[in-house]
Amino acid sequence: MSRQIHEFNDIIRKLRKNLFGKGPERIHTVFVNNMAIATLYGNLSPSEQFIARTPEGREMVHAARTRMIQTVYASAAPEGMEELVGAKFVHLFSDIKVEDDIAVSVFLFDQVIDQQSMGGGKPDEAR
């Protein structure tokens, strides 16, 4: 894992720990073009796991988690994220599968952040 991805994962983990009282146990992130795609495992606190034992509880945990994350990222990118990837944060798409305690977050930036790409710049437009 590159240093950049490791630091990106630390930013995600710290924010979620501060927000929910527990950060993910494991994060796998890839940079593709102008996106960082993170799969987060082991997200739920013991209280959320207890609440999620019923269908209504699962829906409540799902709604609360997705809305809280969207609200936090709508106001500003986490501290250090834009500097780390060298691009402006544009939007976050996020969802969680409560039953399996797996979440996916797609971070969209204003330019290419993929280290394998040639030289950065704006993402290709749809043709």
Side-chain angles (χ1 to χ4, degrees):
M1 175 186 322
S2 76
R3 177 198 62 79
Q4 186 181 33
I5 289 176
H6 179 74
E7 290 181 21
F8 190 89
N9 290 348
D10 281 347
I11 290 170
I12 295 170
R13 185 175 287 108
K14 288 174 188 172
L15 180 126
R16 290 182 185 232
K17 183 173 181 173
N18 289 339
L19 188 61
F20 297 115
K22 179 186 181 302
E25 295 166 5
R26 186 167 60 95
I27 305 173
H28 175 75
T29 300
V30 294
F31 293 158
V32 180
N33 296 318
N34 66 323
M35 297 175 286
I37 304 164
T39 307
L40 302 88
Y41 303 89
N43 302 279
L44 301 177
S45 70
S47 297
E48 290 171 316
Q49 290 173 357
F50 178 79
I51 293 167
R53 294 188 325 183
T54 66
E56 298 82 9
R58 281 190 293 278
E59 180 57 37
M60 185 177 7
V61 170
H62 180 272
R65 276 206 164 244
T66 53
R67 286 185 194 132
M68 283 179 74
I69 288 294
Q70 291 291 336
T71 300
V72 166
Y73 281 92
S75 61
E79 186 176 330
M81 181 177 280
E82 293 177 329
E83 295 81 6
L84 179 65
V85 299
K88 182 173 174 17
F89 173 75
V90 176
H91 191 71
L92 173 72
F93 298 91
S94 186
D95 200 4
I96 186 168
K97 185 170 184 185
V98 175
E99 301 86 344
D100 295 330
D101 199 359
I102 299 172
V104 174
S105 292
V106 178
F107 300 82
L108 187 63
F109 294 91
D110 70 340
Q111 62 184 336
V112 172
I113 62 170
D114 181 357
Q115 296 304 307
Q116 303 300 317
S117 295
M118 303 284 287
K122 294 276 184 201
D124 290 337
E125 298 293 333
R127 290 184 172 88

